[in-house]
């Protein structure tokens, strides 16, 4: 599929997380995401992190070669991810 998804058992897969903040953060902090049961993030998850929107370079785009889906918003440029580390199904950015 255009997003890189592969539903066959035992194959690497990609997840798209959607969330809403209750309020805009006033300082730098940590974002913790938990994947579904059985999902394991790569330990160094910076290489897998996709927050860009570039349909001409699908390898770095959230939705691959597809346009953004209705209801999803782009990651704010001011919210830079400086590090990303995981432990199984939990990732900390």
């Amino acid at each position: 599929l255009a997003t890189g998804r592969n539903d066959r058992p035992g194959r690497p897969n990609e997840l798209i997380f959607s969330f809403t903040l209750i309020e805009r953060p006033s300082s730098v902090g940590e974002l913790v995401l938990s994947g579904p049961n059985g999902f394991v993030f790569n330990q160094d998850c910076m290489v897998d992190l996709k927050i860009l929107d570039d349909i001409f370079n699908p390898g770095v785009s959230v939705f691959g070669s597809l346009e953004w889906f209705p209801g999803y918003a782009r990651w704010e440029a001011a919210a830079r991810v400086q590090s990303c580390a995981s432990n199984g199904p939990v990732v900390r950015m």
Side-chain angles (χ1 to χ4, degrees):
L1 295 172
T3 61
R5 184 173 160 172
N6 185 340
D7 290 335
R8 291 182 289 172
R11 302 298 282 186
N13 211 337
E14 296 182 358
L15 296 179
I16 298 173
F17 284 87
S18 175
F19 53 90
T20 302
L21 300 176
I22 295 171
E23 59 185 40
R24 186 180 185 89
S26 59
S27 62
V28 174
E30 183 177 65
L31 175 65
V32 179
L33 298 175
S34 296
N37 188 27
F39 190 84
V40 177
F41 288 99
N42 286 332
Q43 279 188 317
D44 177 11
C45 44
M46 281 297 273
V47 297
D48 297 323
L49 184 64
K50 297 178 183 178
I51 58 174
L52 302 176
D53 178 22
D54 184 352
I55 61 171
F56 301 108
N57 188 359
V60 300
S61 294
V62 173
F63 295 111
S65 59
L66 300 175
E67 297 286 334
W68 275 74
F69 297 164
Y72 286 83
R74 288 160 176 80
W75 190 271
E76 289 190 30
R80 291 191 205 122
V81 178
Q82 298 175 341
S83 66
C84 184
S86 73
N87 185 7
V90 178
V91 66
R92 296 177 180 280
M93 297 185 270

